[in-house]
Amino acid sequence: MSMQRTQHDDVILMTKEGYQKLRAELIKLRSDGRSEISKQLEEARSFGDLSENAEYHAAKEAQAKLESRIQFLESQLSKAKIIDNDQIDTSQVTLGTKVTLRDLDLNKEFTYVIVNSEETDPNNHRISVSSPVGQAIIGKAVGDEVIARAPRGIRRLKILRIEI
């Protein structure tokens, strides 16, 4: 029984768009990213003594960051389970739902798609399930009022609509 729970804990739920975005980034880093770092290392080597070569050390550091990001993306994608829109329950706020909220203090409406932290894109109204607003509304239903402790202060929100 604990074995099944461990396997389930390793699953990372993602929207189809989020999965495709991470996969595209991984492909780009594996090809263009590695190619660019390789050129930087080759150029830095041509400057001579590697022990005092700042360009070489900077390129090696960039290479380490790139490889770390590649490993992270590979790990995320290997654990990914894409949310099927047909299986999303819109009776409550869950990962993958589009939620319309009214800020009760500002009397303004906001619409967000609830995504995992890797898919977060506030400029496109995609907020993380682990963000203050995400945590406040997850599992709630239409008509519920919640309080979110956001970086800009406490927000009183009412859930108006939940859709796919």
Side-chain angles (χ1 to χ4, degrees):
M1 188 134 167
S2 64
M3 188 73 142
Q4 288 177 330
R5 220 172 87 225
T6 304
Q7 289 174 341
H8 181 69
D9 290 345
D10 284 348
V11 170
I12 299 169
L13 296 175
M14 287 187 193
T15 61
K16 186 176 182 182
E17 298 81 19
Y19 182 88
Q20 289 171 338
K21 182 180 169 191
L22 291 185
R23 190 166 180 277
E25 181 186 351
L26 177 61
I27 290 167
K28 185 169 176 44
L29 292 179
R30 281 180 175 162
S31 57
D32 299 347
R34 282 180 171 159
S35 175
E36 182 59 35
I37 294 289
S38 181
K39 286 177 193 166
Q40 289 174 13
L41 286 169
E42 195 59 44
E43 187 178 327
R45 279 191 197 100
S46 71
F47 296 146
D49 183 9
L50 297 182
S51 64
E52 296 181 19
N53 187 328
E55 288 86 358
Y56 179 76
H57 293 292
K60 287 300 279 183
E61 190 175 313
Q63 182 183 38
K65 285 181 183 173
L66 175 84
E67 292 303 325
S68 176
R69 180 68 180 164
I70 287 172
Q71 284 181 347
F72 175 78
L73 290 172
E74 288 172 343
S75 172
Q76 295 286 295
L77 292 169
S78 72
K79 297 174 185 177
K81 179 179 187 302
I82 296 173
I83 299 168
D84 183 355
N85 283 352
D86 298 340
Q87 297 174 340
I88 294 178
D89 175 8
T90 57
S91 68
Q92 63 179 357
V93 179
T94 60
L95 196 71
T97 54
K98 182 178 182 179
V99 184
T100 303
L101 306 166
R102 175 175 302 284
D103 186 309
L104 298 173
D105 296 317
L106 299 175
N107 199 27
K108 286 187 176 179
E109 286 187 19
F110 301 91
T111 301
Y112 300 114
V113 176
I114 309 303
V115 296
N116 73 29
S117 57
E118 270 301 303
E119 298 180 67
T120 301
D121 184 357
N123 294 332
N124 289 310
H125 307 282
R126 297 171 72 81
I127 63 167
S128 170
V129 67
S130 58
S131 69
V133 171
Q135 287 180 344
I137 64 174
I138 200 77
K140 302 294 189 223
V142 170
D144 287 352
E145 291 184 18
V146 298
I147 293 175
R149 287 169 177 76
R152 289 180 272 151
I154 293 176
R155 294 177 68 185
R156 294 183 324 119
L157 306 167
K158 182 173 184 171
I159 299 171
L160 303 179
R161 280 188 305 283
I162 303 170
E163 52 198 328
I164 296 175

